[in-house]
Amino acid sequence: MTLTLTVSDGVRALAPGFTHVAVEAHGLVNGPSTEASAALLDASARRLAARLDGRAPHEDPHMAAWRETYTAFGSKPSRTRNSAEALAKRALSAAGLPRINLLVDLYNAVSVAHLIPVGGEDLDRIEGGMRLLRATGEEEFVTVAGGEETVEHPDAGEVVWCDDRGVTCRRWNWRQGPRTRLTERTTSGIFLLESMAPLPVAEVQEAARELAELLAKFSPGAAIDVRAPESCV
């Protein structure tokens, strides 16, 4: 079953240069990080360094556009970075990129190599469709703090992804909730690649194709669908 993804009019007005491409996959095989997935992460860090050519991640025009958008809905982009910028900073540090699990490693590698925010959600944990909207502040975001489950509420006007049960990711792609994360038990997933102008839509499509190829390589026999890009224009 194809997951329905909806972008609200409020988000379209806020970010007319926003585009997202979804990769839906069924029959996935996940597990702990491997030497192969670790090698992909290391290679993506080298690709990022070559792309930036000595610049800091936030100096890239695509990351600058994300920062402007974060500022527009009231977030401080130097404190709550979009997921691609946060990963890029880690990729360029001495510690390098974290190893999470196989599927997360794959989409993190694509995110870093292309400097595009990429997220992955477990389709079996999503309730109803997914919507990108500006929060009222009443929505619930279930997370973990100090080892215990806790409920937060987004700021009014904050951009969030949510399903019928609540918020799945705060501040667009800043912090994902644990309920829908990809775990080692995940067999079906939706992967969202998100961009802002001036990044060409063709580059987002290229990144989505690269991710689909990696998913097919590491999960032979999986059914993978790369959707057409959806732009706020």
Side-chain angles (χ1 to χ4, degrees):
M1 184 175 66
T2 299
L3 179 72
T4 301
L5 298 167
T6 306
V7 178
S8 73
D9 290 341
V11 172
R12 291 177 183 275
L14 175 75
F18 173 63
T19 297
H20 70 82
V21 178
V23 179
E24 186 167 337
H26 300 269
L28 295 169
V29 178
N30 201 8
S33 300
T34 65
E35 289 186 4
S37 69
L40 282 170
L41 290 170
D42 291 339
S44 72
R46 293 191 293 271
R47 290 169 65 183
L48 172 68
R51 180 190 192 96
L52 291 174
D53 193 24
R55 294 174 298 163
H58 70 267
E59 295 176 305
D60 178 87
H62 186 213
M63 295 297 94
W66 274 104
R67 283 190 165 219
E68 289 177 6
T69 303
Y70 268 49
T71 299
F73 67 78
S75 289
K76 295 182 179 179
S78 59
R79 294 182 59 189
T80 55
R81 297 178 175 87
N82 75 79
S83 66
E85 184 182 333
L87 272 179
K89 285 181 66 66
R90 296 193 69 170
L92 297 174
S93 72
L97 288 164
R99 278 62 169 156
I100 307 298
N101 60 51
L102 181 59
L103 291 177
V104 175
D105 289 353
L106 297 186
Y107 79 69
N108 279 349
V110 171
S111 176
V112 168
H114 291 270
L115 206 51
I116 293 172
V118 183
E121 307 278 359
D122 189 321
L123 276 172
D124 293 328
R125 295 167 181 257
I126 296 291
E127 298 189 11
M130 289 184 64
R131 300 174 297 282
L132 185 67
L133 50 81
R134 301 198 69 178
T136 64
E138 298 298 317
E139 299 87 352
E140 292 191 350
F141 177 71
V142 180
T143 187
V144 176
E148 296 185 0
E149 186 176 284
T150 184
V151 176
E152 297 178 354
H153 298 277
D155 299 327
E158 181 182 326
V159 177
V160 297
W161 278 104
C162 62
D163 66 1
D164 289 352
R165 185 170 170 183
V167 174
T168 59
C169 195
R170 286 197 60 188
R171 293 182 182 142
W172 213 310
N173 48 47
W174 167 66
R175 183 197 291 172
Q176 183 184 28
R179 172 170 60 90
T180 58
R181 285 176 182 163
L182 302 180
T183 70
E184 293 183 15
R185 298 181 298 278
T186 297
T187 58
S188 296
I190 188 81
F191 301 86
L192 291 171
L193 297 86
E194 303 179 300
S195 72
M196 295 284 177
L199 190 78
V201 174
E203 183 158 352
V204 191
Q205 292 177 289
E206 179 186 346
R209 286 192 293 268
E210 182 176 327
L211 176 57
E213 289 171 1
L214 288 172
L215 292 172
K217 177 181 178 180
F218 285 85
S219 294
I224 301 168
D225 177 40
V226 181
R227 301 191 194 176
E230 296 187 23
S231 302
C232 292
V233 294

